[in-house]
Amino acid sequence: MTTMRDMTPYVVGRAVPIDPGASGQDGSSRAGCSVDSSWAVTMLRIRHFELKINELFARGEVRGTAHLCVGQEAVPTGVCAALRSDDYVSATHRGHGAAIAKGLSLYGMFSEILGRRDGYGAGRGGSQHIACMEKGFLGTNGISGGGLPVSVGAALSSKRLGLGRVAVAFFGDGVANQGAFHEALNMAGIWRLPIVFVCENNLYAMSAPVSSFVAGGSIARRAESYGMRHDSIDGNDVGQVFEASRRFVDLARSGEGPGLLECLTYRQLGHSKSDKRAYRTREEEAAWLKRDPIARERRRLDGAGIMPAADFDAMESRVVAEVASEAERALACQAADVSTLYDHVVPEAAAKTCGGITCPS
Amino acid sequence: MPKLSFRKSVRLAMAEALERDPSVVLMGEDIGPYGGAFKVTEGLHERFGADRIIETPISENGFAGVAIGAAMTGLRPVVEFMFMDFMALAMDQICNHAAKFSYMYAGQCCVPVVFRAPFGGGFGYGASHSQSLEAWFMHTPGLKVVVPSTPASARGLLDAAIRDDGPVIFLEHKALYNLEGEVSDVPGNWSLDQAQIVRPGQDVTVVGYGRTVWLAVETAKRLAGRVDVEVIDLRSLAPLDVVALVESVDKTRRMVVVEDDCLTGGVGAEVAAVIAERVRLDAPIARVACADVPVPCCESLERAALPSVEKAVAAVMRQMEVGYELVDRGTESGCQRESRKGRQLAGA
């Protein structure tokens, strides 16, 4: 059994505080930390969206599978806070958080996952295939590593068309072993494209511990081979994620080339619905629960005098109510119409321009 | 009309697109000063520069994905695979991404990308450089598969493929690159879903695409006076021009498909099914295909494996001589029978 202690030597670069008490250091490296509760709201919306999906799944309302990012909310929240609204993002199979952080609506997301006609893909995509071109969100992706080359392409077109947009490609630790990862990093490197690769390293590729499956001891350091800046940070500290992302994104946008940001985090729930979590200990899970990114932000806001804990809790209640209401709306939406089965297999004449339709709101 | 080689016609279509539309870029291995493995892009790098003739590393899946992402966000990439066999390395991006984005995202985006590749055997390149894998892509909803047979159709169909808003697989048979033919001054308005009747006839329909159109035409010539052969050039394998096929076979009531890909699960299998579902025939459909073997390197075996005029003539003659009542009703499957025939043809 791999323990968290075994994981520790893996992380090179910036040290990640393992002692949960160390999270009390919040604020020490927070030059760019938020002065309001906007990050907390985003993280809470992601958290409660995921918990609602979990509940809907248990009730038999969700077909197929869903990969939830509970515990990892700080990574997409901090990264997307550093982006412009027209920047591009591609996400992973565990991509609901990135979608919400990029501004997709809870209603459109619930509708898609529930197979309703108001979903972002009118019910034909599902959890792992949600995109919104209007928001620059190129999709969650059911293929591990599939989004990396696609994001490199978006960065290429941004550069070629002079759009000034940056692309972000989220990927899991397991993808560092995909050929597509290396091909994408190499091309981004040789063409010096405006892209940031963000590793959501939650220590396990499904059940495979990163310490046993990544040779060389570091994902971040692999970027060196491609002439790329990199950093390895505490992905459960939203301020730290934002600060590092802003640095990498700004450099990419100003023509300084790509970077790789490794965010160490932890998936609090199982890989998917059928996961008994036999590959990790309950002690390890408990230790990471103490480093919960939302609880840490709650403590920070309280400690910095930005938002008292009681107000935070009231805000959380409002988010819970919003999520419940959007879920109810989506449940009331009609299922995808069978007559649309063949729509959009090939581009319709009416959709000649990319991103030509209006996303649900 | 000026004469142009098939190779130069493909190049002309790309040059015209690069000239016409600043969002068009070419991507691929060694397509710059080297001019591409088959010299199709020769001169384009000098003319349009490295920003638009983008040379890629040997990363087929990676650069296919880059082209897809670029296509989703405003460019119209034309991607060259050095050999069609190498598309196997990019199947994830082509089939799991390019083919599905429009559908999964309900038309929010389109993926206007052309994947070009030389295909087919006959040159002793061996099993990893000689395949005809078009059926793989026919089997993937969301992809168009186009195969020109002449310089004119190479130029016209590639022009249409580049203008198309979805992903198009554009296949160039290696044996055709030096073929000369008349090409008009303007590309014209070609359709990506229409077959062409190359030669009208009454007795039997012989269907081909790419190089095998020429095998079909030669078959018709050899049988002239004995059998009146109608030759159809499919041009598009996906979608198939079902109307043109049915109209032709409705008239002739006999069909032979000549195809460069392997027999089992191939182009001919789909064409045969389309016809069998719709037309009452006077003779069982025949397929003249590549044997179900990896394409052998040495000349004797490769020749035995690939379709030829002789094999097509024999298939047409069988069609004319036998009706359903004379067909072997034994337990041997078509696959086994063809395999045995293949072994016999190979002298084994």
Side-chain angles (χ1 to χ4, degrees), chain B:
Chain B
M1 283 194 289
K3 282 210 164 194
L4 216 55
S5 73
F6 187 95
R7 173 185 288 106
K8 285 181 178 169
S9 300
V10 173
R11 187 186 305 151
L12 175 65
M14 292 192 286
E16 284 173 336
L18 286 158
E19 197 72 62
R20 177 187 76 237
D21 183 349
S23 68
V24 173
V25 295
L26 307 191
M27 296 177 64
E29 294 156 359
D30 306 293
I31 62 168
Y34 191 94
F38 287 88
K39 302 295 177 203
V40 177
T41 59
E42 204 166 60
L44 297 179
H45 176 266
E46 290 73 9
R47 191 170 154 195
F48 295 100
D51 281 350
R52 302 189 67 196
I53 312 300
I54 302 170
E55 293 197 90
T56 66
I58 303 174
S59 306
E60 281 84 2
N61 195 48
F63 68 68
V66 170
I68 291 163
M72 291 169 78
T73 54
L75 296 183
R76 299 183 90 84
V78 181
V79 179
E80 176 176 299
F81 289 93
M82 193 178 287
F83 286 82
M84 184 183 198
D85 315 70
F86 305 167
M87 293 177 88
L89 291 151
M91 288 304 275
D92 172 52
Q93 284 296 336
I94 296 172
C95 294
N96 286 331
H97 294 80
K100 293 174 172 53
F101 278 157
S102 169
Y103 189 80
M104 295 193 302
Y105 304 158
Q108 283 186 68
C109 69
C110 49
V111 187
V113 58
V114 179
F115 295 112
R116 290 179 44 239
F119 78 106
F123 298 89
Y125 288 139
S128 71
H129 285 57
S130 304
Q131 293 171 92
S132 301
L133 303 170
E134 49 275 19
W136 288 3
F137 300 101
M138 286 175 75
H139 196 68
T140 304
L143 299 177
K144 290 176 179 161
V145 184
V146 176
V147 192
S149 60
T150 62
S153 62
R155 189 271 199 94
L157 292 171
L158 183 53
D159 179 74
I162 295 170
R163 292 175 192 268
D164 194 89
D165 285 326
V168 179
I169 310 292
F170 190 87
L171 302 175
E172 301 154 18
H173 197 288
K174 301 176 192 96
L176 299 179
Y177 276 130
N178 292 327
L179 178 74
E180 300 261 340
E182 289 184 343
V183 175
S184 69
D185 291 333
V186 288
N189 193 17
W190 288 64
S191 165
L192 292 182
D193 56 7
Q194 281 178 7
Q196 185 206 15
I197 296 173
V198 177
R199 181 189 190 284
Q202 297 296 322
D203 295 336
V204 57
T205 300
V206 178
V207 178
Y209 59 91
R211 178 189 80 110
T212 63
V213 172
W214 295 98
L215 300 184
V217 167
E218 185 58 27
T219 299
K221 281 184 190 162
R222 288 203 194 168
L223 292 170
R226 286 186 288 165
V227 184
D228 189 14
V229 172
E230 177 149 305
V231 174
I232 291 188
D233 177 358
L234 288 175
R235 285 184 178 167
S236 167
L237 305 182
L240 278 172
D241 187 348
V242 175
V243 172
L245 285 166
V246 168
E247 273 180 9
S248 172
V249 184
D250 231 7
K251 175 180 66 181
T252 61
R253 299 169 80 85
R254 293 180 178 85
M255 182 175 76
V256 175
V257 185
V258 189
E259 54 188 316
D260 263 312
D261 63 342
C262 288
L263 180 80
T264 301
V267 176
E270 183 56 30
V271 172
V274 159
I275 291 302
E277 285 167 343
R278 292 169 175 81
V279 182
R280 192 177 294 277
L281 295 161
D282 286 348
I285 293 164
R287 291 176 289 158
V288 179
C290 180
D292 283 332
V293 297
V295 181
C297 195
C298 68
E299 191 171 6
S300 59
L301 292 181
E302 186 175 30
R303 189 172 302 198
L306 293 176
S308 64
V309 174
E310 291 72 27
K311 293 176 193 175
V313 166
V316 170
M317 289 312 293
R318 275 200 304 278
Q319 289 261 306
M320 300 310 296
E321 287 160 7
V322 304
Y324 269 105
E325 68 279 4
L326 295 176
V327 172
D328 174 17
R329 299 269 183 210
T331 54
E332 194 179 38
S333 75
C335 220
Q336 291 167 324
R337 193 158 58 239
E338 288 300 328
S339 178
R340 179 170 50 76
K341 278 183 195 161
R343 284 197 297 275
Q344 285 166 354
L345 282 167

Side-chain angles (χ1 to χ4, degrees), chain A residues 88 112 120-122 124-125 129-134 138-141 143 145-147 149-150 152-154 156-157 160-161 163 180 183 186-187 190-191 340-347 351-357 359, chain B residues 22-25 27 51-52 54-63 65-75 92-93 96-97 99 101-112 141-144 164-167:
Chain A
Y88 299 116
E112 186 57 34
Y120 280 100
R124 62 194 64 210
H129 317 104
I130 298 176
C132 177
M133 298 303 289
E134 274 188 355
L138 304 177
T140 57
N141 199 312
I143 304 295
V150 172
V152 174
L156 176 76
S157 77
R160 162 104 195 100
L161 299 170
L163 300 177
E183 296 185 5
N186 184 55
M187 282 184 281
I190 57 173
W191 296 327
T340 66
L341 177 64
Y342 289 98
D343 289 358
H344 307 298
V345 175
V346 294
K352 285 277 182 195
T353 53
C354 293
I357 73 155
C359 293
Chain B
S23 68
V24 173
V25 295
M27 296 177 64
D51 281 350
R52 302 189 67 196
I54 302 170
E55 293 197 90
T56 66
I58 303 174
S59 306
E60 281 84 2
N61 195 48
F63 68 68
V66 170
I68 291 163
M72 291 169 78
T73 54
L75 296 183
D92 172 52
Q93 284 296 336
N96 286 331
H97 294 80
F101 278 157
S102 169
Y103 189 80
M104 295 193 302
Y105 304 158
Q108 283 186 68
C109 69
C110 49
V111 187
L143 299 177
K144 290 176 179 161
D164 194 89
D165 285 326

Side-chain angles (χ1 to χ4, degrees), chain A residues 77-92:
Chain A
T77 300
V79 170
C80 291
L83 294 177
R84 277 184 1 200
S85 63
D86 63 343
D87 284 334
Y88 299 116
V89 166
S90 72
T92 69

Side-chain angles (χ1 to χ4, degrees), chain A residues 243-254:
Chain A
E243 194 51 39
S245 301
R246 191 170 65 171
R247 195 157 40 89
F248 278 55
V249 167
D250 289 352
L251 285 167
R253 202 187 306 284
S254 60

